[in-house]
Amino acid sequence: MTEISLHGRVALVTGGGRGLGEAYCHELARRGAAIVVHDSGTATDGHGHDPEPARNVAASIVAAGGRATACTSDASTEAGGSEAVAVAVRDFGRLDVVVANAGIIHDDQLTDWPTDRFEAVLRHHLLAAFHVIRPAFAVMKAMKYGRLILVSSAAGVFGQPGLTGYAAAKTGMVGLMNVAAIEGAPFGITANGIMPMAGTRMADAIMGEAAQTADGRAFLDTLRVDQVAPVVAYLASEACHETHTVFSAFGGRVAALQVGVTRGWTSPTGTLTAEDVAAHLPEITDPAGLLVPASITDEMAFDV
């Protein structure tokens, strides 16, 4: 099989200063892409600002013979997201790939989640992605080429106790991906998602004290960043024609998320009652023959 190359391409990776984001930067650079390492350097709770992580990653790529620049703006703001895209175009003349990876984490039971924390998590994940993808999409549309990769999470798609804000934000990334994939198709722009798991700062924060136990460390050590970064490299490449798909990646396993609807039950008269729903629940929830729509229009058009 021909080696996947990103020579001549320019990639912007948000949250690129540490953890999985850093791994994405190095993998894309190793395959020839010029990298905008975007990271404001906040702590996992969203506080603080440190330009060094982004600068260090960019410097290490350059030292290895690659091309990279750091951007430390705050993508959770409209101006910060636009600045990241502008840096890519200014320094490298184009923008081919966006990996929307930035985010923070909080862990509270649902009844204890403060509104300001919920809003902060949405800003640093979902709005940060939107603020970068919207201006990037315009650049890609003009070039008639682009690769958008949105980092989601199984914690959102399937749920995880304590992560209300994180789960909501990460599931929102799938909605953003869905629309970007549909609108990008006529312009050669693919939009895909990834649900990664790896032993990073954020994983440590989620696990808390358990992450410092022998069993906890052993578990996290099985979830390596190098088991995820190659999936992102594929999605960032010309070899990828897949779009509108979310990939699960951890522990050496790669799988695709299928979001579908059952064939359900249709009232013969077109009207129904709550009692009808209760009576036909086995048919409504039967997963046999699951339908996987490509859009809301597809679901409405299915002949069930």
Side-chain angles (χ1 to χ4, degrees), residues 237-252:
S237 72
E238 293 178 60
C240 176
H241 301 289
E242 188 74 24
T243 192
H244 211 166
T245 303
V246 178
F247 293 84
S248 171
F250 65 92

Side-chain angles (χ1 to χ4, degrees), residues 85 98 100 128-138 148-150 173 176 180:
V85 173
V98 170
F130 171 73
H131 287 149
V132 170
I133 285 174
R134 181 174 60 178
F137 195 93
L148 302 174
I149 303 154
L150 292 90
M173 298 286 273
L176 180 55

